[in-house]
Structure formats: C-alpha cells, structure tokens
Amino acid sequence: MADSEWGIAANVRPEAFGRATSPGTRHFTAGTLVWCLDVYWGMGGETLRAIGRHRGGRQLIAIAMPSRYLTNFRAKVAYSPRVVHAIREHQAQRDEAEARRIAGGFAERFPAVPDLRERAKQLAIALRALDDDPSARELAARATELLGTGATPELEVLGDLLEDRGAGMPLDELAVILRRRRDNP
C-alpha cells in the first residue's frame, strides 16, 4: 500500500472571488481541491493553512486563508507524496475518526455546494457578461446605483438577462457581486 495520511480536504468556493475576474480566489480556481493543514482555533477556526494546486500553475502552494472560502469539507486519505509530506511537515496527521470529526464541524459551519463545477461555470459566464456585454454593463450600472434603495427592477432585469445567458443566480447573490464590484473597483 502506498504511503498515505488521513487529512481534511475541501474545495474552493466559486463565490470567494472578491476582486478577481474569475470564480475562486486569487491563488486557487473555483473547485480546486485543497488540504487543510493547520487550523487557527484561537480565532474560532476562521483561518486555516491550506495546500493546493496554484491557479495557472502546476505547483502546490501552502497559504493561510479564510475558512469561509472553502466548501465540501470531508475526511479523505491523501496519497500524493507532496501532500503527505506537507501533512507530516505541519504535524497535521490525524486518524480517521479525528479527521471525520473536524471535517464534520467545518461542513456544518460551511454548507456544501452540490455541483461546484457547474456553479463556477455559471459565475464565470455572469462575470464575463457583466464585463463584455454592453446591455449587461448598463443594467449593472443602473442596478448598482439603486442598491440599498429597495428598488430592484434593474436588478431583476439583469438577473433575467444573465439567466438567458446560462448564468442564472438568486438576486441576493447578484446584489453581492454588484456591491463587491462597486466597493472594489
């Protein structure tokens, strides 16, 4: 049997993009498998050290990141020699029961995204439409001006336009995207 270690695996949320122009985080694309090495419990587990394949590259990187950027937490056996080495180097070895307990706690706190790849694809389409489609840009600009006023016709029309493009999403998520774009130009 290959050298292995139990660990806590998760995937990067599509909505974690912040100021990026594509779903995921600055360092990981949406859906990337990451291994949770260290959890900073003193801060309530809000930050953890994760190792995963870097966006646009083949190398594994270890970074500290907010745990809210991850989803689909689960206990899993790592077989990759580089991941096993990182788990041991960070003294993150766990038995199966402990890995399942910790992963279960995170899974309760951060619910799973059922079809992560499809969700990431929808967000990528929506972001491209907001950048490239003149009518979507105009509707987004008008909807952004009205955010917080209670008037949502432009937001609803923009939501319908994105749905026609294959990127349907709840209006509250669309409002979050528009707020982030407004606040982080």
Side-chain angles (χ1 to χ4, degrees), residues 31 75 162:
L162 292 176

Side-chain angles (χ1 to χ4, degrees), residues 134-149 151-158 178 182:
S135 57
R137 267 198 319 262
E138 183 180 330
L139 281 169
R142 281 194 260 152
T144 302
E145 290 173 12
L146 297 174
L147 284 175
T149 64
T152 59
E154 283 81 2
L155 188 64
E156 291 174 11
V157 173
L158 180 60
L178 294 177
R182 177 192 66 201

Side-chain angles (χ1 to χ4, degrees), residues 161-182:
L161 179 89
L162 292 176
E163 188 172 349
D164 290 343
R165 304 263 195 295
M169 68 178 66
L171 293 181
D172 56 336
E173 286 183 26
L174 183 55
V176 168
I177 289 172
L178 294 177
R179 275 190 204 95
R180 284 181 179 166
R181 287 175 158 245
R182 177 192 66 201

Side-chain angles (χ1 to χ4, degrees), residues 3 6 16 22 34 46 56 82 85 109 121 128 131 139 155 167 176 180 185:
D3 201 21
W6 274 95
S22 64
V34 297
E46 292 150 2
R82 291 171 27 195
H85 174 73
R109 194 164 164 206
K121 189 189 315 181
R128 267 195 305 277
D131 286 336
L139 281 169
L155 188 64
V176 168
R180 284 181 179 166

Side-chain angles (χ1 to χ4, degrees), residues 6-7 30 44 61 66 87 90 107-108 126 153-154 158 160 169:
W6 274 95
I61 62 166
I87 288 172
H90 286 74
E108 281 181 31
E154 283 81 2
L158 180 60
D160 290 342
M169 68 178 66

